[in-house]
Amino acid sequence: MSIHRGFLVLGVIGLSIAGALANTTVTYTGPDLGKWNDPTNWSPQVVPNNSGGNSFDVLIGDREVKLNIDATVSSLTFDGQ
């Protein structure tokens, strides 16, 4: 393997790790008293739960959400405007 290829491989690995460590911000867009584990209640459509190398920052507006799973998130923000 040449030195240039080695740097390219290390660069790609570094970008993959950086992407896996980045937090994804998700916003609750479902109905009042909707279920946490329903991906259609979130934008983007994903159930926020830190697992498998994923990390989530969660935003919930003026609604109640049924937390019907054991979920771990990086941050949880309520905006009751």
Side-chain angles (χ1 to χ4, degrees):
M1 177 185 299
S2 72
I3 293 176
H4 295 293
R5 270 194 206 158
F7 284 124
L8 177 60
V9 170
L10 289 176
V12 170
I13 291 171
L15 289 175
S16 297
I17 292 171
L21 297 177
N23 285 7
T24 301
T25 299
V26 293
T27 302
Y28 183 77
T29 57
D32 200 27
L33 298 175
K35 294 181 180 176
W36 185 283
N37 72 339
D38 183 350
T40 63
N41 288 337
W42 300 96
S43 178
Q45 290 190 351
V46 61
V47 175
N49 189 12
N50 291 0
S51 63
N54 298 314
S55 297
F56 294 95
D57 295 319
V58 176
L59 304 173
I60 298 176
D62 191 18
R63 299 180 188 165
E64 292 183 34
V65 181
K66 290 182 186 178
L67 186 57
N68 60 340
I69 62 170
D70 291 332
T72 302
V73 296
S74 297
S75 70
L76 179 61
T77 303
F78 294 97
D79 182 10
Q81 294 182 1

